[in-house]
Amino acid sequence: AQTVTQSQPEMSVQEAETVTLSCTYDTSESDYYLFWYKQPPSRQMILVIRQEAYKQQNATENRFSVNFQKAAKSFSLKISDSQLGDAAMYFCAYRNPSGNTPLVFGKGTRLSVIA
Amino acid sequence: DTAVSQTPKYLVTQMGNDKSIKCEQNLGHDTMYWYKQDSKKFLKIMFSYNNKELIINETVPNRFSPKSPDKAHLNLHINSLELGDSAVYFCASSQDFGTGIRSQHFGDGTRLSIL
């Protein structure tokens, strides 16, 4: 079974600085999807960024980018120019490419942004 | 335009009662899911349905019974509520066949509190 590990329960960053959240996963599949979700105190689950494993190029969405290292099974999230609104729980998630498969989540990293 | 909507957002009830949570998606997706987020924020799949058919049942007690009247709706009925059922329940949907990365879209969650 696939597993996702987020080794940093909590992180903090100064406003306008850059922070990197770590995620590793375990799978025997060669193709799969990886995601980062943000959960602010409002508890909504907001998709931040996604990556297809067969694509070598790292995904980028505005201030959010990933460092995808397939051989190392690592999928870290970099947040640049951190803003107060970035404070939230961040979940890394894995999904098999076949239909009807659920997301497998890591335990999350709580990010605080210091003004 | 709410993509995935859950009702109610909050549910407070006594142990032993029976309650239901409703979920509707207007994205035209073919697969819907229920996830449970426990007090430590860990998210885990409970059920998934594809076109009204149960696909995944992750060893959830049979007090939990999902029902999908059509592919846009997936309701969760819980009998004989126990203290351990207190959690946030998320509904999600995705388009699992065809091309594309198959991201899951989440509802805002239902916080269930058992007294």
Side-chain angles (χ1 to χ4, degrees):
Chain A
Q2 291 83 14
T3 58
V4 177
T5 302
Q6 293 179 249
S7 58
Q8 306 151 317
E10 295 183 354
M11 292 281 285
S12 62
V13 62
Q14 293 277 354
E15 203 175 1
E17 296 295 309
T18 296
V19 64
T20 298
L21 308 184
S22 301
C23 173
T24 57
Y25 56 93
D26 187 28
T27 183
S28 56
E29 302 285 340
S30 59
D31 192 22
Y32 44 86
Y33 303 125
L34 296 165
F35 305 87
W36 279 98
Y37 281 87
K38 170 185 177 182
Q39 187 178 40
S42 64
R43 83 164 180 252
Q44 291 172 299
M45 291 292 289
I46 301 165
L47 179 64
V48 174
I49 200 164
R50 54 195 182 187
Q51 176 85 39
E52 295 168 87
Y54 69 86
K55 288 189 176 177
Q56 304 249 343
Q57 188 173 5
N58 289 325
T60 299
E61 289 285 344
N62 301 314
R63 297 183 294 108
F64 298 86
S65 61
V66 297
N67 183 3
F68 173 49
Q69 302 288 328
K70 191 172 183 180
K73 296 181 183 174
S74 170
F75 183 61
S76 59
L77 175 69
K78 186 171 86 170
I79 306 174
S80 304
D81 186 25
S82 296
Q83 300 175 359
L84 294 177
D86 295 334
M89 284 288 289
Y90 286 83
F91 293 96
C92 180
Y94 167 99
R95 189 177 186 200
N96 276 337
S98 53
N100 308 313
T101 55
L103 292 167
V104 177
F105 286 93
K107 291 189 175 180
T109 296
R110 183 177 300 281
L111 178 67
S112 302
V113 180
I114 303 163
Chain B
D1 289 348
T2 303
V4 182
S5 60
Q6 292 180 232
T7 53
K9 292 195 184 310
Y10 298 93
L11 191 48
V12 181
T13 190
Q14 302 269 1
M15 212 164 47
N17 283 351
D18 303 338
K19 289 293 177 187
S20 293
I21 306 171
K22 295 186 176 182
C23 180
E24 176 181 3
Q25 55 96 2
N26 63 5
L27 297 165
H29 288 168
D30 56 15
T31 306
M32 295 183 72
Y33 305 81
W34 279 110
Y35 290 86
K36 179 180 180 180
Q37 185 174 41
D38 63 23
S39 58
K40 295 186 178 178
K41 301 290 188 183
F42 185 56
L43 278 148
K44 191 166 187 237
I45 184 68
M46 298 175 69
F47 301 101
S48 78
Y49 269 74
N50 178 262
N51 280 322
K52 305 192 295 177
E53 185 178 337
L54 179 66
I55 303 298
I56 293 172
N57 180 342
E58 285 288 316
T59 60
V60 176
N62 58 15
R63 298 182 296 104
F64 290 77
S65 53
K67 283 189 172 52
S68 181
D70 55 61
K71 76 172 193 176
H73 296 82
L74 180 60
N75 304 322
L76 183 64
H77 188 75
I78 316 171
N79 290 328
S80 304
L81 282 157
E82 299 177 357
L83 290 176
D85 297 333
S86 294
V88 178
Y89 293 85
F90 283 97
C91 179
S93 73
S94 62
Q95 182 59 35
D96 276 7
F97 292 95
T99 58
I101 199 168
R102 302 172 186 167
S103 303
Q104 291 190 9
H105 298 254
F106 283 79
D108 288 346
T110 296
R111 180 177 294 281
L112 174 61
S113 300
I114 310 301
L115 302 177

